[in-house]
Amino acid sequence: MNNSPETVFSKIIRREIPATIVYEDDLALAFRDIHPQAPVHILVIPKQVIPTIAEATEQDQQLLGHLLLVAKQVAKQENLDQGYRLVINCGNDGGQTVYHLHIHILGGRSMQWPPG
Ligand code: 5GP
């Protein structure tokens, strides 16, 4: 069994596998999703591994706020002036497939609700 907290996203941070990176700072990285579900589909991740939002702690408060501000900045950079959706999937029922916390930015089309 693989107990390493590392996922494919750690490899993207280290540039070991390619990704279209649209934003980077000391704490966060944003890159285009490999299987886009909307005309704009970008993932914002912390460089520090937090597997799921359920495992975030009080100590992560500033980092989590930072990720949201990065998401809105990237949405602006992508000209999503008509709006967009931010999504965090958590665990099995949440549909999470990569266990490195990420915020999906989805935009460029009208979203449906409920999401399914
Ligand atoms: P989750 O289902 O965990 O919320 O979202 C994981 C997302 O990561 C999916 O939308 C999936 O398409 C994306 N993804 C998985 N592997 C890669 C990869 O190697 N590169 C990129 N750019 N996106 C990936």
Side-chain angles (χ1 to χ4, degrees):
M1 189 175 148
N2 177 13
N3 287 319
S4 165
E6 295 224 332
T7 69
V8 68
F9 290 176
S10 292
K11 293 190 167 71
I12 289 174
I13 293 168
R14 291 197 299 263
R15 310 309 205 261
E16 289 170 9
I17 63 167
T20 306
I21 293 168
V22 297
Y23 175 91
E24 180 169 25
D25 63 28
D26 289 348
L27 300 174
L29 190 73
F31 52 93
R32 295 194 191 282
D33 196 291
I34 204 166
H35 291 127
Q37 302 300 316
V40 175
H41 188 173
I42 291 168
L43 304 173
V44 179
I45 68 171
K47 288 187 171 174
Q48 170 195 331
V49 180
I50 301 171
T52 73
I53 189 66
E55 286 151 277
T57 69
E58 290 291 321
Q59 274 157 14
D60 300 317
Q61 186 167 338
Q62 226 175 334
L63 176 61
L64 295 174
H66 180 68
L67 295 176
L68 283 174
L69 291 175
V70 168
K72 73 114 194 193
Q73 186 177 325
V74 170
K76 187 163 191 222
Q77 189 177 300
E78 294 288 319
N79 300 310
L80 298 177
D81 306 328
Q82 303 303 307
Y84 50 90
R85 183 170 289 172
L86 302 182
V87 173
I88 299 175
N89 294 325
C90 183
N92 202 40
D93 278 5
Q96 186 172 4
T97 57
V98 178
Y99 281 75
H100 181 136
L101 175 66
H102 48 282
I103 302 173
H104 295 258
I105 305 172
L106 295 151
R109 66 169 169 82
S110 187
M111 301 292 152
Q112 307 296 307
W113 195 264

